[in-house]
Structures are given as structure tokens and as C-alpha cells.
Amino acid sequence: MRDIHCHILPGVDDGAADLDESLAMLEAAKRAGVTRIVCTPHCRDPYFDYDKMWDAFELLRDNADGFPLQMGFEVNHRKLVELGIDAAEHLHFDGTNEFLLELSTHADAYAFREYENTIYDLQCRGYQVIIAHP
């Protein structure tokens, strides 16, 4: 079973505070039957620091005793618009075409039209869009 949305990286967002907590989360996931994890830190303010997040991924991977971890991001729509659609190239699940997109829970009809356009644009670029918290 693959967990595709996990805030397990140490010290980068509102998930695990440190490596010890990350490793405890990893052990809990194993006990629950998870066999692979996509690490998906927030790509939104105030958390987003691309290099720090990749460093945290490498730290966790190096301490995970070979457990299959993959890097990705939970990309907030507003942040994607700010960064530009070309940033998707660096934010999808590493090694796949999967893209985890977070939408606002307070969206109006106009926002949904904007979301549809963004999703269409991502799909045209070859991404399989996964909506976080539908």
C-alpha cells in the first residue's frame, strides 16, 4: 500500500518536527501496512523552501533503513500560480507524472473555473493530477 500524501519530512512544515518524529511516523506507517511513502511537504507559504525540503528528504531516506520513499510536494494552487506553471516540472512526484494539487476549501465559482484551467494545463503537460483533500 502506497501513502501518497504524507507530511513525514523532519522540520519543514506542520508535519514531523524532527527526525525522531519522522522515524516514529515511519514505524507507525509500517505497522499499518504501508509499503511505500511519497513524502509531500507543503508547497505553500509560510513553509515552502525547496532546497530545505529536499535536504530533509535525503536525511530521512538515509535513516529509513531502505524503506521505499519518494519525494513529491502538496502544491497549493495559489503558490503554483505564483511560481508559474513551469514550476510543476520540479514539484511533481519524483520519477512519475503524478502531481498533488491542493485547492482552497473556501473557493467560489470563479476559483473553480481557475482550478479547472490549471488542471487542464497540467494534464496537457502530461501530469496525472491528484487533488489533495477533495
Side-chain angles (χ1 to χ4, degrees):
M1 175 172 42
R2 180 174 70 140
D3 182 341
I4 64 168
H5 184 180
C6 189
H7 296 279
I8 194 170
L9 295 182
V12 296
D13 63 11
D14 59 354
D18 55 32
L19 182 59
D20 288 337
E21 190 172 348
S22 295
L23 294 173
M25 290 172 68
L26 180 60
E27 289 306 313
K30 289 178 189 178
R31 286 192 303 275
V34 173
T35 57
R36 297 183 296 153
I37 293 176
V38 182
C39 305
T40 53
H42 288 292
C43 176
R44 68 173 164 89
D45 296 327
Y47 304 111
F48 187 59
D49 183 328
Y50 185 82
D51 293 330
K52 182 178 179 182
M53 290 172 167
W54 268 99
D55 289 346
F57 172 75
E58 291 169 4
L59 174 65
L60 179 58
R61 185 187 58 207
D62 291 347
N63 286 275
D65 293 328
F67 186 87
L69 298 173
Q70 183 179 16
M71 184 60 173
F73 293 87
E74 178 186 6
V75 183
N76 178 271
H77 182 266
R78 181 176 303 193
K79 188 67 173 180
L80 179 60
V81 169
E82 176 187 318
L83 294 171
I85 197 75
D86 290 338
E89 179 181 342
H90 304 287
L91 301 172
H92 62 91
F93 293 2
D94 191 41
T96 76
N97 68 337
E98 297 168 308
F99 190 93
L100 183 62
L101 183 64
E102 178 187 39
L103 308 176
S104 172
T105 57
H106 305 291
D108 58 15
Y110 175 79
F112 273 98
R113 283 190 298 277
E114 188 177 2
Y115 297 160
E116 288 174 344
N117 290 335
T118 299
I119 291 167
Y120 178 77
D121 196 359
L122 288 166
Q123 290 173 328
C124 286
R125 292 166 182 259
Y127 295 106
Q128 177 185 354
V129 180
I130 303 164
I131 304 300
H133 317 291

